Amino acid sequence: MERTLSIVKPDGVARGLIGEVVKRLEANDLKIAAMKMIHMTRSQAEGFYAVHKERPFFGSLTEFMSSGPCVVMVLEGENAIARYRELMGATNYKEADPGTIRADFATDIEKNVVHGSDAPETAAFEMGYFFNSFEIVG
Ligand code: CMP
């Protein structure tokens, strides 16, 4: 069993895509072990994406991620990190495989509907950023 962090980003929440994302997670055997809605401040978004702080898109990304509510989830399942990344599709929706969340719904490389951890170490940091151990079921 592996755990990963999932975010339905502000564009996904604003466009009414929470249910669509959750439906795909459940249909693909990714169990929701924790879930809540948050609205990050700019500095909370900067802390979450600190790994990208030298990137040219950091300012725009953290402005976008703090522009409205997000749904953050811990997903659990066998090979959850890779399986959730497959469901999301490539970061750039133009390169995402057909049928993935980003291919179906993203409108922009930044407004790409969902986020998912890319490795066990980042998953541990990202889950701990939003949830304490009492909030994760299972
Ligand atoms: P995410 O998987 O949340 O990780 C970093 C985010 O930065 C990414 O999704 C996009 O929303 C955003 N982003 C914006 N521009 C780029 C870019 N050129 N390359 C990668 N990520 C980008």
Side-chain angles (χ1 to χ4, degrees):
M1 279 298 160
E2 188 175 62
R3 285 176 174 168
T4 189
L5 184 88
S6 162
I7 305 179
V8 183
K9 296 185 179 186
D11 59 327
V13 173
R15 292 168 59 207
L17 295 172
I18 299 169
E20 180 65 40
V21 172
V22 168
K23 186 178 82 180
R24 292 179 184 216
L25 300 175
E26 292 183 329
N28 286 278
D29 264 341
L30 287 166
K31 178 173 167 275
I32 297 170
M35 183 181 209
K36 63 187 168 191
M37 183 173 273
I38 57 161
H39 187 156
M40 281 187 267
T41 63
R42 185 73 179 261
S43 76
Q44 286 168 337
E46 288 170 353
F48 180 74
Y49 278 118
V51 65
H52 293 308
K53 66 175 181 296
E54 307 302 337
R55 303 281 205 103
F57 55 82
F58 183 68
S60 169
L61 173 64
T62 55
E63 183 182 359
F64 163 57
M65 290 300 289
S66 57
S67 68
C70 291
V71 171
V72 290
M73 292 176 270
V74 173
L75 309 180
E76 192 172 78
E78 216 169 290
N79 210 9
I81 295 173
R83 288 202 297 118
Y84 176 49
R85 290 179 71 78
E86 267 174 42
L87 283 184
M88 288 194 299
T91 303
N92 184 349
Y93 73 104
K94 291 180 181 161
E95 292 163 9
D97 289 337
T100 59
I101 295 168
R102 285 166 169 164
D104 288 348
F105 301 109
T107 54
D108 184 296
I109 192 167
E110 179 175 275
K111 295 177 182 61
N112 59 359
V113 185
V114 280
H115 167 83
S117 312
D118 62 2
E121 305 72 40
T122 45
F125 166 76
E126 293 181 357
M127 292 187 288
Y129 198 77
F130 295 116
F131 296 99
N132 67 47
S133 59
F134 301 105
E135 297 174 308
I136 302 174
V137 174

mmCIF file of all heavy atoms in Angstrom, residues 26-51:
data_model
loop_
_atom_site.group_PDB
_atom_site.id
_atom_site.type_symbol
_atom_site.label_atom_id
_atom_site.label_comp_id
_atom_site.label_asym_id
_atom_site.label_seq_id
_atom_site.Cartn_x
_atom_site.Cartn_y
_atom_site.Cartn_z
ATOM 1 N N GLU A 26 -12.286 6.776 -7.384
ATOM 2 C CA GLU A 26 -12.977 5.618 -6.820
ATOM 3 C C GLU A 26 -13.112 4.495 -7.841
ATOM 4 O O GLU A 26 -12.990 3.310 -7.502
ATOM 5 C CB GLU A 26 -14.344 6.038 -6.280
ATOM 6 C CG GLU A 26 -14.197 6.944 -5.066
ATOM 7 C CD GLU A 26 -15.513 7.354 -4.434
ATOM 8 O OE1 GLU A 26 -16.520 7.474 -5.155
ATOM 9 O OE2 GLU A 26 -15.523 7.571 -3.198
ATOM 10 N N ALA A 27 -13.332 4.859 -9.099
ATOM 11 C CA ALA A 27 -13.480 3.842 -10.152
ATOM 12 C C ALA A 27 -12.161 3.122 -10.416
ATOM 13 O O ALA A 27 -12.147 2.046 -11.006
ATOM 14 C CB ALA A 27 -13.977 4.495 -11.430
ATOM 15 N N ASN A 28 -11.063 3.737 -9.985
ATOM 16 C CA ASN A 28 -9.750 3.152 -10.239
ATOM 17 C C ASN A 28 -9.072 2.661 -8.961
ATOM 18 O O ASN A 28 -7.840 2.570 -8.908
ATOM 19 C CB ASN A 28 -8.872 4.159 -10.988
ATOM 20 C CG ASN A 28 -9.287 4.289 -12.434
ATOM 21 O OD1 ASN A 28 -8.899 3.481 -13.270
ATOM 22 N ND2 ASN A 28 -10.131 5.275 -12.721
ATOM 23 N N ASP A 29 -9.899 2.356 -7.949
ATOM 24 C CA ASP A 29 -9.367 1.712 -6.747
ATOM 25 C C ASP A 29 -8.355 2.541 -5.983
ATOM 26 O O ASP A 29 -7.462 1.988 -5.359
ATOM 27 C CB ASP A 29 -8.705 0.375 -7.107
ATOM 28 C CG ASP A 29 -9.676 -0.766 -6.909
ATOM 29 O OD1 ASP A 29 -10.674 -0.570 -6.183
ATOM 30 O OD2 ASP A 29 -9.423 -1.838 -7.486
ATOM 31 N N LEU A 30 -8.492 3.867 -6.061
ATOM 32 C CA LEU A 30 -7.673 4.720 -5.205
ATOM 33 C C LEU A 30 -8.572 5.170 -4.066
ATOM 34 O O LEU A 30 -9.529 5.925 -4.259
ATOM 35 C CB LEU A 30 -7.112 5.909 -6.000
ATOM 36 C CG LEU A 30 -5.990 5.528 -6.959
ATOM 37 C CD1 LEU A 30 -5.702 6.654 -7.947
ATOM 38 C CD2 LEU A 30 -4.711 5.169 -6.202
ATOM 39 N N LYS A 31 -8.290 4.649 -2.878
ATOM 40 C CA LYS A 31 -9.141 4.911 -1.717
ATOM 41 C C LYS A 31 -8.820 6.293 -1.143
ATOM 42 O O LYS A 31 -7.648 6.669 -1.032
ATOM 43 C CB LYS A 31 -8.842 3.831 -0.671
ATOM 44 C CG LYS A 31 -9.598 3.951 0.620
ATOM 45 C CD LYS A 31 -9.323 2.725 1.493
ATOM 46 C CE LYS A 31 -9.801 2.962 2.916
ATOM 47 N NZ LYS A 31 -8.820 3.660 3.756
ATOM 48 N N ILE A 32 -9.870 7.048 -0.804
ATOM 49 C CA ILE A 32 -9.657 8.358 -0.194
ATOM 50 C C ILE A 32 -9.485 8.165 1.309
ATOM 51 O O ILE A 32 -10.413 7.763 2.006
ATOM 52 C CB ILE A 32 -10.824 9.310 -0.517
ATOM 53 C CG1 ILE A 32 -10.880 9.529 -2.033
ATOM 54 C CG2 ILE A 32 -10.660 10.641 0.219
ATOM 55 C CD1 ILE A 32 -12.120 10.256 -2.510
ATOM 56 N N ALA A 33 -8.271 8.425 1.785
ATOM 57 C CA ALA A 33 -7.939 8.211 3.195
ATOM 58 C C ALA A 33 -8.042 9.501 4.003
ATOM 59 O O ALA A 33 -8.053 9.475 5.237
ATOM 60 C CB ALA A 33 -6.529 7.619 3.314
ATOM 61 N N ALA A 34 -8.138 10.632 3.316
ATOM 62 C CA ALA A 34 -8.333 11.941 3.968
ATOM 63 C C ALA A 34 -8.786 12.913 2.892
ATOM 64 O O ALA A 34 -8.425 12.764 1.727
ATOM 65 C CB ALA A 34 -7.031 12.433 4.601
ATOM 66 N N MET A 35 -9.593 13.897 3.325
ATOM 67 C CA MET A 35 -10.126 14.847 2.341
ATOM 68 C C MET A 35 -10.596 16.116 3.045
ATOM 69 O O MET A 35 -11.285 16.035 4.061
ATOM 70 C CB MET A 35 -11.326 14.204 1.653
ATOM 71 C CG MET A 35 -11.968 14.997 0.555
ATOM 72 S SD MET A 35 -13.363 14.021 -0.072
ATOM 73 C CE MET A 35 -13.421 14.583 -1.733
ATOM 74 N N LYS A 36 -10.238 17.269 2.508
ATOM 75 C CA LYS A 36 -10.804 18.524 3.026
ATOM 76 C C LYS A 36 -10.679 19.636 2.000
ATOM 77 O O LYS A 36 -9.874 19.554 1.070
ATOM 78 C CB LYS A 36 -10.141 18.946 4.344
ATOM 79 C CG LYS A 36 -8.677 19.269 4.291
ATOM 80 C CD LYS A 36 -8.162 19.504 5.728
ATOM 81 C CE LYS A 36 -6.649 19.544 5.767
ATOM 82 N NZ LYS A 36 -6.124 19.507 7.143
ATOM 83 N N MET A 37 -11.506 20.668 2.198
ATOM 84 C CA MET A 37 -11.435 21.844 1.338
ATOM 85 C C MET A 37 -10.677 22.923 2.083
ATOM 86 O O MET A 37 -10.930 23.173 3.267
ATOM 87 C CB MET A 37 -12.834 22.326 0.963
ATOM 88 C CG MET A 37 -12.802 23.506 0.018
ATOM 89 S SD MET A 37 -14.451 23.931 -0.564
ATOM 90 C CE MET A 37 -14.558 22.852 -1.971
ATOM 91 N N ILE A 38 -9.755 23.556 1.375
ATOM 92 C CA ILE A 38 -8.951 24.630 1.977
ATOM 93 C C ILE A 38 -8.864 25.798 1.000
ATOM 94 O O ILE A 38 -9.055 25.610 -0.198
ATOM 95 C CB ILE A 38 -7.505 24.152 2.300
ATOM 96 C CG1 ILE A 38 -6.829 23.620 1.031
ATOM 97 C CG2 ILE A 38 -7.507 23.094 3.400
ATOM 98 C CD1 ILE A 38 -5.332 23.558 1.145
ATOM 99 N N HIS A 39 -8.558 26.971 1.525
ATOM 100 C CA HIS A 39 -8.226 28.102 0.646
ATOM 101 C C HIS A 39 -6.877 28.610 1.126
ATOM 102 O O HIS A 39 -6.779 29.242 2.178
ATOM 103 C CB HIS A 39 -9.313 29.179 0.736
ATOM 104 C CG HIS A 39 -9.120 30.293 -0.250
ATOM 105 N ND1 HIS A 39 -10.140 31.084 -0.686
ATOM 106 C CD2 HIS A 39 -8.007 30.738 -0.907
ATOM 107 C CE1 HIS A 39 -9.676 31.978 -1.562
ATOM 108 N NE2 HIS A 39 -8.380 31.776 -1.702
ATOM 109 N N MET A 40 -5.826 28.312 0.377
ATOM 110 C CA MET A 40 -4.470 28.654 0.813
ATOM 111 C C MET A 40 -4.204 30.148 0.700
ATOM 112 O O MET A 40 -4.649 30.799 -0.249
ATOM 113 C CB MET A 40 -3.435 27.938 -0.075
ATOM 114 C CG MET A 40 -3.221 26.501 0.284
ATOM 115 S SD MET A 40 -1.839 25.783 -0.657
ATOM 116 C CE MET A 40 -2.743 25.093 -2.044
ATOM 117 N N THR A 41 -3.426 30.646 1.654
ATOM 118 C CA THR A 41 -2.866 31.988 1.505
ATOM 119 C C THR A 41 -1.715 31.903 0.500
ATOM 120 O O THR A 41 -1.232 30.812 0.173
ATOM 121 C CB THR A 41 -2.295 32.503 2.836
ATOM 122 O OG1 THR A 41 -1.206 31.639 3.218
ATOM 123 C CG2 THR A 41 -3.347 32.508 3.951
ATOM 124 N N ARG A 42 -1.260 33.057 0.055
ATOM 125 C CA ARG A 42 -0.130 33.074 -0.880
ATOM 126 C C ARG A 42 1.083 32.390 -0.240
ATOM 127 O O ARG A 42 1.762 31.590 -0.881
ATOM 128 C CB ARG A 42 0.191 34.536 -1.247
ATOM 129 C CG ARG A 42 1.268 34.712 -2.290
ATOM 130 C CD ARG A 42 0.736 34.315 -3.652
ATOM 131 N NE ARG A 42 1.742 34.482 -4.687
ATOM 132 C CZ ARG A 42 1.820 35.534 -5.508
ATOM 133 N NH1 ARG A 42 0.955 36.526 -5.408
ATOM 134 N NH2 ARG A 42 2.748 35.600 -6.444
ATOM 135 N N SER A 43 1.351 32.693 1.021
ATOM 136 C CA SER A 43 2.560 32.118 1.624
ATOM 137 C C SER A 43 2.406 30.614 1.860
ATOM 138 O O SER A 43 3.387 29.869 1.783
ATOM 139 C CB SER A 43 2.985 32.881 2.879
ATOM 140 O OG SER A 43 2.172 32.559 3.946
ATOM 141 N N GLN A 44 1.187 30.152 2.110
ATOM 142 C CA GLN A 44 0.993 28.690 2.209
ATOM 143 C C GLN A 44 1.246 28.022 0.853
ATOM 144 O O GLN A 44 1.846 26.946 0.781
ATOM 145 C CB GLN A 44 -0.421 28.373 2.700
ATOM 146 C CG GLN A 44 -0.595 28.668 4.189
ATOM 147 C CD GLN A 44 -2.059 28.639 4.624
ATOM 148 O OE1 GLN A 44 -2.984 28.824 3.818
ATOM 149 N NE2 GLN A 44 -2.272 28.418 5.909
ATOM 150 N N ALA A 45 0.791 28.659 -0.232
ATOM 151 C CA ALA A 45 1.042 28.101 -1.570
ATOM 152 C C ALA A 45 2.539 28.139 -1.884
ATOM 153 O O ALA A 45 3.088 27.203 -2.474
ATOM 154 C CB ALA A 45 0.252 28.881 -2.611
ATOM 155 N N GLU A 46 3.216 29.188 -1.465
ATOM 156 C CA GLU A 46 4.667 29.275 -1.689
ATOM 157 C C GLU A 46 5.404 28.179 -0.930
ATOM 158 O O GLU A 46 6.355 27.589 -1.434
ATOM 159 C CB GLU A 46 5.186 30.656 -1.258
ATOM 160 C CG GLU A 46 4.764 31.747 -2.227
ATOM 161 C CD GLU A 46 5.045 33.163 -1.731
ATOM 162 O OE1 GLU A 46 5.461 33.331 -0.556
ATOM 163 O OE2 GLU A 46 4.831 34.097 -2.504
ATOM 164 N N GLY A 47 4.940 27.876 0.263
ATOM 165 C CA GLY A 47 5.563 26.795 1.046
ATOM 166 C C GLY A 47 5.332 25.443 0.399
ATOM 167 O O GLY A 47 6.245 24.601 0.328
ATOM 168 N N PHE A 48 4.136 25.236 -0.114
ATOM 169 C CA PHE A 48 3.821 23.954 -0.747
ATOM 170 C C PHE A 48 4.680 23.733 -1.990
ATOM 171 O O PHE A 48 5.177 22.636 -2.236
ATOM 172 C CB PHE A 48 2.334 23.891 -1.115
ATOM 173 C CG PHE A 48 1.954 22.602 -1.769
ATOM 174 C CD1 PHE A 48 1.847 21.439 -1.011
ATOM 175 C CD2 PHE A 48 1.752 22.531 -3.134
ATOM 176 C CE1 PHE A 48 1.541 20.223 -1.616
ATOM 177 C CE2 PHE A 48 1.441 21.320 -3.743
ATOM 178 C CZ PHE A 48 1.333 20.170 -2.989
ATOM 179 N N TYR A 49 4.831 24.779 -2.784
ATOM 180 C CA TYR A 49 5.559 24.658 -4.059
ATOM 181 C C TYR A 49 7.006 25.159 -3.939
ATOM 182 O O TYR A 49 7.599 25.534 -4.955
ATOM 183 C CB TYR A 49 4.825 25.417 -5.155
ATOM 184 C CG TYR A 49 3.665 24.651 -5.771
ATOM 185 C CD1 TYR A 49 2.364 25.132 -5.678
ATOM 186 C CD2 TYR A 49 3.873 23.462 -6.470
ATOM 187 C CE1 TYR A 49 1.302 24.439 -6.267
ATOM 188 C CE2 TYR A 49 2.820 22.773 -7.057
ATOM 189 C CZ TYR A 49 1.546 23.260 -6.955
ATOM 190 O OH TYR A 49 0.505 22.576 -7.542
ATOM 191 N N ALA A 50 7.573 25.158 -2.733
ATOM 192 C CA ALA A 50 8.926 25.689 -2.514
ATOM 193 C C ALA A 50 9.960 25.080 -3.460
ATOM 194 O O ALA A 50 10.911 25.752 -3.879
ATOM 195 C CB ALA A 50 9.345 25.474 -1.065
ATOM 196 N N VAL A 51 9.751 23.821 -3.839
ATOM 197 C CA VAL A 51 10.681 23.145 -4.738
ATOM 198 C C VAL A 51 10.774 23.849 -6.102
ATOM 199 O O VAL A 51 11.767 23.722 -6.805
ATOM 200 C CB VAL A 51 10.269 21.653 -4.875
ATOM 201 C CG1 VAL A 51 8.916 21.514 -5.561
ATOM 202 C CG2 VAL A 51 11.307 20.824 -5.592
#
